[in-house]
Amino acid sequence: MGNDRSGTGAETVSGPGYALLLAAGPVGKQRLMDAAAALPQLAAVSPAALLGTPGGASVVQLVDPVDPQTVLTHLRTAAAHPGPVLVHLAGQLTLDAKQRLPHLALARTTPRTARYTALPWHWLAAELGRRPPGSTVVVADLVADETAWPPLSTAGPSALAAGLTLYGTVAPAPPKRRLATPDYSRAFAGLLRSAAERPPLALLHQRATLEAGLGPGPELLLDGAGVDGTGSGEAYPPPDAAPWAGRTEQSAPLGATGQAISAEQTGETRQTEAAGPSGAAGPAGAAGQNGVTGATRAAGPVAASPPMPPGPPESFRPADQPPVPPALRAPAPPPPGWAPVADPLASTHAAIFEAANAGRHSEAASMAAAWEQEALRTAGPRSDEAIHWLEVRADLSRIAGDPARACELWLAVADARLGNGEPAEHPEVEGAVDRAHHQWQFVADRVRAGALAPLLIELRGRVPGRRPGALEAVRRRAELLRAPARTR
């Protein structure tokens, strides 16, 4: 079990796991979600499957707590656990009236008392953010009330994911007199109950999103991409630098959805030109933020983002010949007599990979995540556009030095393409499995590599590729990973 932080290269924590399942919400008319309905399905999942820990796990349920200090105590218990930790949250987000910071509403929370009766989100981030990289994941199935949804939908998923590996969904409040249902949690639990072994989290999230019918709507999808590329995470901003404080003055909306993501504050001022969702040029960092200066420019009209043209097929290659992903391939020259067709996303891709190759992995990941969110909303989770940005994120993980994350994302690409009906011998399906296999060879952590092995074996059985013996090679290494580690 890992927390999937891009670029850490750190080993994951092994041993028995610990899961904290929290379902919370105000009593009475202020309640927006039937949060407790998420727990029966999750409780039916075996602890080993829930955590991905063969050694088992402890599972604690917390339903409609009243006091934020009680929740904090449970969070500290989870944070102190030496093994893998999963925290599942079902409920609703609100802002406190004074500092305008996000809080998880509890049983006694009202709009006027949120500061004292709800759990501040930065408490959660602070407690879990101190844990070792590769040890923690947060799964959230949330709705945001009328105070929290406008700034959150503008800031995007990264506003909640600072320092956390965060999967799940945040939706706007349902119509009056209706309660939202935790459909994502139910799908997540159902997939875990039916799987022989737990899939990688990126793939599990993608499948749960599809099962729950999410993606085309206004909800935000939290796909684990909002963490810092170095693995250290960015501390949750202090009250006077809240992610949405003065948002209308500091950032312009990205696309028709109103999403914006700020550039990482790296201590330098940059102005790299990148195309916005309409194809028009705008500063890199997504949504037009100019480095750390806070200067912005408004985005123009938005059109759906076309996918990057796929490249030629590739066969599986040995470790010393890494395959070139679609995002970095040179475009083929046009036929004689044809005028070249401009790629409307060329400058966007150039800016993203320029940042990644310069070591600014968090900045590159933020830009790619913003474009993926746009594709998910406008075209759906299994559209060509969404799959393309999944491929881009996979290659960014490779550049950041996180082969496990890259493998996981390439497996998700292959699964999505096969789910779309593409045949096993399709070049893009073969290429995705080949790249997953290639990256898997570099996963040094035995626990993480062993967790990825079953799905890779399953996909290799369906997509053998063009290199003889690829499936047998995966099986041999998987057997070695299952053998006890030798000690000197």
Side-chain angles (χ1 to χ4, degrees), residues 6-7 228-230 264 266 268 270 352-365 396 399-400:
S6 174
D228 181 82
T230 65
E264 289 293 322
T266 59
E268 58 178 316
R270 297 182 299 273
I352 289 173
F353 284 98
E354 178 187 354
N357 290 318
R360 304 195 305 273
H361 302 300
S362 181
E363 179 183 331
L396 291 176
I399 295 172

Side-chain angles (χ1 to χ4, degrees), residues 23-344:
V27 297
K29 296 180 180 180
Q30 299 295 328
R31 182 170 297 226
L32 301 178
M33 172 184 274
D34 183 12
L39 296 185
Q41 289 88 341
L42 288 166
V45 179
S46 70
L50 188 62
L51 272 294
T53 49
S58 300
V59 179
V60 176
Q61 296 188 36
L62 194 58
V63 184
D64 282 333
V66 173
D67 182 13
Q69 292 292 335
T70 299
V71 182
L72 180 61
T73 299
H74 281 274
L75 285 173
R76 286 177 172 168
T77 300
H81 184 75
V85 168
L86 179 144
V87 175
H88 182 281
L89 306 173
Q92 66 195 64
L93 293 173
T94 188
L95 300 188
D96 70 290
K98 184 176 182 180
Q99 295 178 318
R100 311 300 291 174
L101 288 172
H103 288 60
L104 183 69
L106 303 180
R108 295 189 301 182
T109 301
T110 67
R112 292 185 178 182
T113 66
R115 187 181 180 192
Y116 309 101
T117 60
L119 178 75
W121 189 266
H122 56 279
W123 287 12
L124 172 82
E127 294 300 325
L128 300 181
R130 299 189 184 103
R131 286 178 51 79
S135 67
T136 316
V137 65
V138 178
V139 179
D141 194 344
L142 304 169
V143 295
D145 68 13
E146 67 278 2
T147 68
W149 177 251
L152 179 59
S153 61
T154 299
S158 60
L160 296 177
L164 299 172
T165 295
L166 181 62
Y167 288 91
T169 179
V170 183
K176 290 184 178 180
R177 298 186 180 88
R178 289 182 58 185
L179 284 179
T181 53
D183 296 332
Y184 178 89
S185 297
R186 290 169 173 170
F188 188 90
L191 290 167
L192 285 176
R193 290 199 307 272
S194 62
E197 294 191 44
R198 196 183 78 169
L201 284 168
L203 179 57
L204 184 60
H205 166 75
Q206 184 186 54
R207 289 178 174 175
T209 298
L210 290 170
E211 290 282 340
L214 303 172
E219 63 275 343
L220 296 176
L221 299 181
L222 312 168
D223 58 8
V227 294
D228 181 82
T230 65
S232 62
E234 182 181 0
Y236 200 88
D240 58 353
W244 27 60
R247 176 67 62 180
T248 55
E249 297 177 2
Q250 294 180 355
S251 65
L254 174 62
T257 61
Q259 179 183 2
I261 293 182
S262 299
E264 289 293 322
Q265 295 192 6
T266 59
E268 58 178 316
T269 302
R270 297 182 299 273
Q271 188 169 3
T272 305
E273 293 297 318
S278 64
Q289 180 112 5
N290 181 9
V292 299
T293 63
T296 62
R297 65 181 72 177
V302 176
S305 306
M308 189 83 166
E314 294 183 50
S315 61
F316 177 73
R317 299 181 182 181
D320 58 349
Q321 297 180 21
V324 179
L328 295 184
R329 294 181 185 137
W338 286 52
V341 178
D343 175 10

Side-chain angles (χ1 to χ4, degrees), residues 195-207 382 404-416 418 432-434 436-437 440 448-464 471 474-475 478 481-482:
E197 294 191 44
R198 196 183 78 169
L201 284 168
L203 179 57
L204 184 60
H205 166 75
Q206 184 186 54
R207 289 178 174 175
R382 275 193 172 158
R405 177 67 165 162
C407 172
E408 185 178 86
L409 291 169
W410 280 120
L411 290 173
V413 170
D415 183 78
L418 290 168
V433 179
D434 287 348
H437 186 167
W440 183 69
R448 192 80 180 277
L452 292 167
L455 185 57
L456 181 57
I457 290 173
E458 190 270 333
L459 282 173
R460 262 293 174 223
R462 299 168 63 188
V463 187
L471 176 58
V474 179
R475 286 174 172 164
L481 291 169
R482 284 193 287 269

